[in-house]
Amino acid sequence: MGGFLYRVITALSMTIGRAEAARAVADRLAPSAGDELLDIGCGPGAAAREGRRRGATVIAIDPDPLMLWLARAISALRRAGAVAWVQGEAEAIPVAGGSATVFWTLSSLHDWQNRATGLREVHRVLAPGGRFLAAERLVAPGARGHAAHGLTQAQANGLARELTTTGFDSVRVETVSLRRRTLVLVTASR
Ligand SMILES: C[S@@+](CC[C@H](N)C(=O)[O-])C[C@H]1O[C@@H](n2cnc3c(N)ncnc32)[C@H](O)[C@@H]1O
């Protein structure tokens, strides 16, 4: 019961203050009508809804049924556009190869069990020319506990190198300051 309550509180906490990050990511990759967007580790779905608002067809994936339930409930309450909410994980993305033109993941990549497998999956599902973005909170070296949930600058640079060896092009690392946090954005194209 304690575990379930913790998960509910964690999920609810992810519904607060996510819109600004969602807009920052959507501004970078500019999804629009004609794009097939995948959001992996979508949580309660702020970024997926932002992508849909901008006209893309969206599949939003998360391993946690509670997150998907919350995402569906918030979308219904807000009468947001249709998003396909699907259970799955980065290491085995449940979509066909070459089917996405835009792929993003916000505050999730640091949680993936096997990042190398996840990045190979991203490469598989993106169509040639597809755009990828990983957004994480910029964290200080040596941070612990919740303060460590994100990437240090060095870890972001390591992710960029891993993307290059996985076969991505135009890999770039930048930081963006939001009102409540600084994000590190790692972008690439397929
Ligand atoms: C901190 S939440 C971020 C949610 C949302 N992207 C946001 O920014 O509000 C991290 C999410 O990643 C999901 N996650 C954890 N491991 C994952 C994996 N291996 N593949 C995909 N998603 C994963 C979690 O279930 C959770 O919903």
Side-chain angles (χ1 to χ4, degrees):
M1 180 63 189
F4 179 71
L5 196 59
Y6 176 78
R7 282 176 56 221
V8 170
I9 292 167
T10 303
L12 288 173
S13 76
M14 280 179 218
T15 63
I16 300 162
R18 314 305 275 205
E20 197 185 9
R23 282 194 301 271
V25 165
D27 286 347
R28 284 295 179 295
L29 291 197
S32 61
D35 274 317
E36 303 282 336
L37 165 65
L38 274 187
D39 179 346
I40 287 275
C42 62
R49 282 185 292 276
E50 185 63 32
R52 182 70 195 97
R53 245 191 309 278
R54 296 182 188 219
T57 300
V58 183
I59 301 177
I61 297 173
D62 202 284
D64 187 344
L66 181 62
M67 291 291 184
L68 295 171
W69 179 85
L70 202 52
R72 288 190 186 98
I74 293 170
S75 296
L77 278 173
R78 296 196 182 157
R79 297 172 197 269
V83 168
W85 305 103
V86 176
Q87 190 171 7
E89 58 190 16
E91 293 83 352
I93 300 172
V95 302
S99 58
T101 57
V102 179
F103 188 121
W104 66 44
T105 180
L106 285 75
S107 302
S108 172
L109 186 133
H110 71 267
D111 269 345
W112 296 359
Q113 294 294 311
N114 188 327
R115 193 163 88 183
T117 303
L119 294 182
R120 279 198 298 276
E121 277 291 273
V122 177
H123 196 264
R124 177 184 69 79
V125 302
L126 263 179
R131 293 104 77 197
F132 170 73
L133 187 155
E136 289 284 346
R137 189 161 55 126
L138 181 64
V139 300
R144 302 166 81 102
H146 187 255
H149 290 191
L151 295 179
T152 63
Q153 187 69 53
Q155 288 168 335
N157 294 340
L159 171 60
R161 285 193 293 277
E162 223 176 314
L163 284 163
T164 302
T165 52
T166 307
F168 289 87
D169 291 321
S170 310
V171 181
R172 187 160 174 238
V173 181
E174 63 181 311
T175 54
V176 53
S177 296
L178 307 181
R179 270 173 303 173
R180 295 156 56 132
R181 63 179 75 182
T182 298
L183 296 181
V184 59
L185 307 181
V186 183
T187 49
S189 63
R190 162 81 155 84

